């Protein structure tokens, strides 16, 4: 494969982690990010382009002469940015707008899973208060109510409080109400060129804002990988029962999905069930996986974007584990406090900071909070305990008085639960 440069689209922690890993690929000459953040600026060139504007992203990719565009977040995918880049003749990692509906519409995803025979929670799509009431009564508590469109991880409520469930549904045009799934959650990412599927090692994400998995859902407050408790054949199981049947069903509908299929799974007492699909890398699980991947990431994503994954082989991983801890701004996932000053210690060999919602204060050249999830701290080590120690030791050196972390990321697994 000749050397090539890469444009990463997005501005969050996932994009910083991807850009950092891609920059380490020996075949990659240069990495660009649009629009990026102060963290990506330290390892790549940022370009102030609207990530939702497909024509502008495609024009930038042509101007830079990149060999690959990687679209990170769901919003540009749903807006058709990958389509615009491919139309301009540049290989793109990320599904078309049509295929990204697998994430953009919960009801579409449910319909595809039903046709494909993929195990998931039984669900009803509701548009009226009467339908909502009937579905809540049919499934009983705990109630699971999901807004149908994109909601940055905050459109779902899981509650025993029937009135809260009714109120959440009333705030959305169209909701999916579904059966509650018990058991541990697994995030398993499948890279596909539309034909060949390659599974990445599983991770676990911490969705709730509060310690002990309490409080509202967020985009994710931390993660770890690998999962010592997951079955050895989890990747093959998910490819066979979830990913391949889903991609086949999309193909039957004339939709090719290429890019990353994020399978959010619950290991329920009745077996594996899909909780959700996303059409892109997960955040913050990606920050953990990018700390462990040995395969050159630029070449892997280019193979997926050019339909040559079958010749690429399996993804290789460094031994050991990674733990990531998100530092969020006070108020998140409600209204986050903006502008809080941040002082960062230097990165270490086995612990580093990934930027998400940060900005540079134009007057003082001071790093400040500019979003809900502000930083992800990644720790790596020979095992989960060591990786966790690395992550929290660096967290403790960060001066960010208007931010907070969960102190219990990967604590339960180290205490033997899940076993
Ligand atoms: P989603 O956006 O569909 O991933 O939902 C966000 C989070 O809500 C999931 O990661 C789960 O923690 C929780 N959740 C979603 N659906 C269910 C369900 N059917 N049963 C239990 N928890 C769920
Ligand atoms: N970590 C959950 C997500 O990326 O949707």
């Amino acid at each position: 494969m000749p050397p090539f440069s890469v444009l990463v689209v997005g501005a969050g922690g996932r994009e910083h982690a991807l850009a950092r890993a891609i920059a380490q690929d020996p075949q990659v000459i240069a990495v660009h990010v649009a629009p990026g953040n102060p963290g990506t600026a330290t390892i790549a060139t940022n370009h102030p382009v609207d990530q939702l504007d497909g024509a502008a992203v495609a024009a930038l990719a042509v101007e830079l002469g990149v060999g690959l565009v990687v679209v990170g977040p769901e919003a540009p995918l749903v807006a058709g940015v990958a389509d615009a880049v491919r139309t301009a003749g540049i290989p793109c990692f990320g599904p078309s707008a049509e295929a990204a509906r697998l994430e953009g519409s919960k009801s579409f995803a449910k319909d595809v899973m039903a046709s494909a025979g993929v195990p998931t929670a039984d669900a009803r799509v509701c548009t009226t208060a009467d339908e909502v009431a009937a579905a809540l009564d049919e499934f009983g508590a705990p109630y699971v109510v999901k807004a149908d469109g994109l909601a940055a991880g905050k459109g779902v409520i899981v509650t025993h409080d029937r009135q809260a469930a009714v109120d959440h549904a009333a705030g959305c045009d169209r909701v999916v109400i579904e059966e509650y799934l018990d058991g541990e959650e697994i995030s398993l990412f499948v890279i596909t060129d539309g034909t060949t599927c390659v599974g990445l090692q599983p991770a676990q994400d911490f969705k709730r804002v509060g310690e002990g998995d309490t409080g509202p859902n967020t985009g994710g407050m931390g993660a770890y990988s690998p999962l010592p408790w997951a079955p050895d054949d989890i990747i093959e199981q998910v490819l066979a029962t979830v990913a391949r049947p889903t991609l086949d069903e999309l193909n039957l509908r004339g939709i090719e999905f290429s890019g990353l299929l994020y399978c959010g799974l619950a290991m329920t007492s009745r077996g594996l069930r899909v909780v959700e699909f996303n059409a892109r890398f997960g955040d913050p699980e990606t920050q953990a996986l990018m700390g462990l991947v040995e395969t050159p990431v630029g070449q892997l994503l280019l193979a997926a974007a050019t339909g040559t994954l079958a010749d690429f082989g399996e993804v290789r991983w460094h031994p050991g584990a990674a733990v990531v801890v998100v530092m969020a701004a006070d108020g998140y996932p409600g209204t986050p406090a903006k502008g809080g000053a941040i002082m960062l210690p230097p990165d270490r060999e086995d612990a580093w900071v990934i930027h998400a919602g940060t900005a540079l204060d134009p007057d003082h050249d001071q790093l400040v909070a500019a979003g809900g999830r502000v930083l992800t701290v990644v720790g790596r080590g020979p095992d989960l305990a060591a990786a966790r120690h690395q992550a929290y030791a660096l967290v403790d050196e960060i001066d960010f008085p208007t931010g907070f972390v969960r102190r219990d990321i990967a604590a339960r697994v180290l205490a033997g639960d899940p076993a």
Side-chain angles (χ1 to χ4, degrees):
M1 192 178 284
F4 58 102
S5 50
V6 181
L7 171 63
V8 176
V9 178
R14 164 188 42 223
E15 287 74 42
H16 184 185
L18 287 170
R20 188 176 182 274
I22 291 168
Q24 288 164 5
D25 184 324
Q27 287 302 101
V28 171
I29 313 163
V31 182
H32 301 270
V33 189
N37 63 36
T40 62
T42 65
I43 48 142
T45 310
N46 284 352
H47 300 269
V49 163
D50 176 3
Q51 57 175 302
L52 298 180
D53 184 341
V57 170
L60 176 66
V62 169
E63 181 193 324
L64 294 169
V66 298
L68 172 68
V69 174
V70 177
V71 183
E74 59 274 23
L77 291 167
V78 169
V81 169
D83 306 80
V85 170
R86 276 194 277 267
T87 301
I90 297 179
C92 186
F93 184 85
S96 64
E98 206 181 12
R101 287 180 65 214
L102 211 48
E103 171 166 5
S105 166
K106 303 257 185 212
S107 55
F108 176 73
K110 282 288 178 192
D111 188 56
V112 169
M113 283 189 267
S115 306
V118 168
T120 185
D122 195 11
R124 304 283 171 267
V125 180
C126 308
T127 51
T128 67
D130 285 348
E131 286 170 0
V132 166
L136 293 176
D137 290 339
E138 180 185 356
F139 294 122
Y143 304 105
V144 182
V145 182
K146 305 184 171 188
D148 195 32
L150 288 184
K154 293 178 270 182
V156 176
I157 183 170
V158 181
T159 179
H160 280 87
D161 179 344
R162 193 174 187 285
Q163 193 56 45
V166 168
D167 292 347
H168 184 68
C172 314
D173 288 343
R174 203 174 138 93
V175 291
V176 173
I177 293 182
E178 64 181 39
E179 152 198 25
Y180 176 78
L181 299 173
D182 60 0
E184 289 298 326
E185 284 188 47
I186 294 184
S187 302
L188 199 138
F189 300 168
V190 177
I191 291 187
T192 177
D193 56 11
T195 308
T196 302
C197 290
V198 176
L200 304 189
Q201 83 179 17
Q204 189 172 51
D205 177 23
F206 293 75
K207 290 258 165 57
R208 303 283 188 136
V209 73
E211 283 164 19
D213 297 322
T214 54
N217 272 326
T218 68
M221 293 298 294
Y224 67 92
S225 181
L227 310 180
W229 47 270
D232 288 342
D233 66 346
I234 184 73
I235 296 179
E236 199 33 61
Q237 237 188 81
V238 173
L239 292 180
T241 64
V242 176
R244 290 196 191 104
T246 298
L247 298 172
D248 289 348
E249 173 60 28
L250 288 174
N251 277 326
L252 282 177
R253 298 179 184 208
I255 303 172
E256 185 186 89
F257 187 107
S258 91
L260 192 127
L261 177 62
Y262 170 132
C263 304
L265 308 158
M267 305 280 288
T268 77
S269 43
R270 293 178 299 138
L272 197 83
R273 296 282 185 281
V274 173
V275 176
E276 65 164 337
F277 282 133
N278 293 321
R280 37 84 192 165
F281 279 97
D283 186 338
E285 298 96 312
T286 299
Q287 287 85 312
L289 294 177
M290 290 301 117
L292 294 171
V293 66
E294 189 188 329
T295 296
V297 176
Q299 294 173 61
L300 171 66
L301 303 186
L302 181 60
T306 52
T308 57
L309 213 45
D311 307 327
F312 195 81
E314 287 301 301
V315 176
R316 296 182 310 279
W317 301 93
H318 290 293
V323 171
V324 309
V325 178
V326 169
M327 300 191 85
D330 288 342
Y332 179 76
T335 307
K338 285 214 164 132
I342 305 165
M343 298 285 282
L344 294 177
D347 286 347
R348 306 170 179 167
E349 171 75 22
D350 283 320
W352 58 90
V353 173
I354 297 288
H355 291 235
T358 63
L360 283 176
D361 178 331
D363 301 330
H364 306 95
D365 223 15
Q366 164 74 50
L367 193 67
V368 296
R373 292 187 295 169
V374 177
L375 303 167
T376 321
V377 179
V378 186
R380 183 173 59 184
D383 55 31
L384 276 172
R388 183 170 193 274
H389 177 79
Q390 288 287 351
Y392 280 110
L394 194 59
V395 164
D396 289 337
E397 283 186 29
I398 294 173
D399 185 9
F400 177 25
T402 59
F404 70 97
V405 296
R406 270 182 67 164
R407 284 273 157 197
D408 64 344
I409 304 303
R412 238 168 12 96
V413 58
L414 287 168
D417 167 33

